[in-house]
Amino acid sequence: MKSGSNLEKVLKAGHFAFTGELGPPRGTNAEEVREKAAFLKGNVDAVNITDNQTAVVRMSSWAASLILLQEGLEPNYQMVCRDRNRLAMQADILGAYTLGIRNMLCLSGDHQKFGDHPEALGVFDIDSMQLINMVKNMRDEAKFLGGADVEGPPEMFIGAAANPFAEPFEWRVHRLAKKISAGVDFIQTQCIYNMDRFRTWVKQANDMGLTEKVYILAGVTPMKSIGMARYMKAKVPGMDVPDEIIKRLQGAGKGKVAAEGIKIACEQIEEFKEMKGVAGVHLMAIEWEHKVPEIAEQAKVLPRPVMD
Amino acid sequence: MIVAQRKPFDEIKDMIKDYKKVLALGCGTCVAVCLAGGEKEVSVLVSELDMAAKLADTPIDVSGFTIERQCDREYLEALDDMVEKYDALLSLACGAGIQFLAERYPKIPVFPAVDTTFIGVNQDVGWYEERCRSCSSCVLGMTGGICPVTMCAKGLYNGPCGGTNNGACEIDADQPCAWYMIYERLSKQDRLDSIMKFTPATAWKNQVPRTVIQPGYTKKD
Ligand code: SF4
């Protein structure tokens, strides 16, 4: 065991993992976090807590992670490279671990240009690959990036993102390999809509032996509306939404689009359960947390395994 | 070369409003080539300031002069006798030139008339693009001659990030993704190996003022 986190135990035991996501509030309302957490409790193995997602200021990821711990859920603490230098990052990692956080997701972060402080300095002292490696060395070698010893290493289960859809496609699997060599334990992918591409990517990862070295959780976001599907296709960088998805939603008929979106998501999850190289699903139902119990039920991923 | 842009006229006017006799100083090197602070730009600025002073009926005496390089003592020397007659200097050189000027004449207030913008290339007359952040640790050999520090919006050393969009950067559809270009170029050169390896965290060398003394030379007092 690297961290002994619930997520690590679930994956190690060979269960099909199911993780969720929660965006902290744009203020100090802890109740909002608790309310969202209540929908996720018992339905997922761990919950990603986003870090100033889309470069918009929110309650810090570690603070919201602590609220989750209080509520009896396991957080997956996200950290982006945009807002902190290596000193601040390592300090936060130590603090997070000390207070009970056991999973981390290492990300570059969306560019500040899109957020609510477009004139901010983007730090990017280290990149996501280097962040993975830094956490790994803190954990396994008990060394800070600067070389000094860490007293009581933070035993984090180290995650990262992968986007199987961004160009150049041929490079994507090599980038995954690079993250593995940097020290990642699990991967959560970008939201998947183009199943063909995803199958090809996973097959490449299988062929290269990568899926034996890392747990891959397939990213799923149910479409709430046709507008959302169109927006994601046109506006979200690195998102691949095939026309068939939009057509299917259009065909669902009035008042049934969201249900169709959930149905598509559940069909995907069924396929992922059988797909070699996929160890679980990461459900990103942001601002749709109250639908998670229903989706988990319909996707037949309940009950969640209880690990000791 | 170093590329600069002239500051807005009102900002310049406001900076020198308390002075009666001002010398606008151009630089004949980078800022002249990029059409921001050479002889021609100095004379334009002087006429504009003259005109504005006349219109506002605020007597101010502005003259212009351009030397070859403001970042070089040898050329600055030519100003020694001239500057004393002025109560402020307005420099159209890059930030280095402006500071060197201010350092040489510490009693005279020096104001910038340009914003130094980047180290870049001349794409066409009047069109310049940034290419270098002078990080002191060049990785262009690894990245196929495309700078990830300058050309990638996040300065990634292990790109591309997940935001790359059909060859464009996530910040703007018109901005090519540096790492997409790096991949394409290295792939054509059959050199993808170069970016398959993990690049460790950068040891930043640009966090303090830097000094270079070339081999065979010494620092003089
Ligand atoms: S899209 Fe490309 S250039 Fe833009 S931040 Fe990502 S890797 Fe860098």
Side-chain angles (χ1 to χ4, degrees), chain B residues 44-60:
Chain B
V44 170
L45 179 60
V46 169
S47 339
E48 279 181 87
L49 287 167
D50 259 347
M51 187 84 79
K54 281 198 187 104
L55 282 175
D57 206 17
T58 45
I60 170 169

Side-chain angles (χ1 to χ4, degrees), chain A residues 108-109 111 124 237, chain B residues 148 151-156 158-165 167-172 175-180:
Chain A
S108 305
H111 196 274
F124 301 109
Chain B
M151 307 306 289
C152 165
K154 299 177 190 168
L156 306 176
N158 292 281
C161 73
T164 168
N165 216 355
C169 172
E170 68 171 44
I171 63 158
D172 188 345
Q175 177 66 46
C177 166
W179 275 97
Y180 183 83

